[in-house]
Amino acid sequence: MEYYLILARSVTYAQRMQRALERVGIRCQIYRAPRDLTNLGCAYVLRVAVPDLTQALIAIHRASLDPVQIFLYQQGMYREVSM
């Protein structure tokens, strides 16, 4: 199973991102960021399906909520993706 994690700097930003994605019909879930991905203490991630990433980033950008980082989960490992 593959998916993207979009890192937000706080739970508030993650919730705002989630609402922006819901407005364009993209389903996502909010989780606390895995410890090995970031050193930010209160970071949260949105889990997004692989085919939805481009549209998700457009919606987030239009809402002025650019992500901190993006990671691809693939074959049991996280890999940072450049934006």
Side-chain angles (χ1 to χ4, degrees):
M1 177 194 236
E2 297 179 351
Y3 54 84
Y4 284 100
L5 293 180
I6 300 174
L7 183 67
R9 62 179 165 199
S10 70
V11 68
T12 303
Y13 270 74
Q15 290 167 338
R16 290 177 183 168
M17 288 179 180
Q18 183 180 39
R19 283 192 296 274
L21 296 183
E22 287 173 350
R23 282 193 294 270
V24 295
I26 297 175
R27 297 182 65 193
C28 64
Q29 298 87 28
I30 297 176
Y31 298 99
R32 204 157 176 69
R35 290 181 187 231
D36 53 336
L37 293 187
T38 181
N39 59 359
L40 300 174
C42 60
Y44 282 79
V45 294
L46 283 85
R47 181 175 164 172
V48 176
V50 171
D52 294 334
L53 181 67
T54 301
Q55 188 179 3
L57 292 177
I58 291 168
I60 290 169
H61 180 72
R62 285 184 179 155
S64 300
L65 298 167
D66 294 322
V68 175
Q69 291 174 290
I70 302 170
F71 296 92
L72 172 63
Y73 178 79
Q74 187 177 47
Q75 298 176 351
M77 296 177 12
Y78 293 103
R79 180 176 53 91
E80 185 174 2
V81 177
S82 60
M83 292 189 269

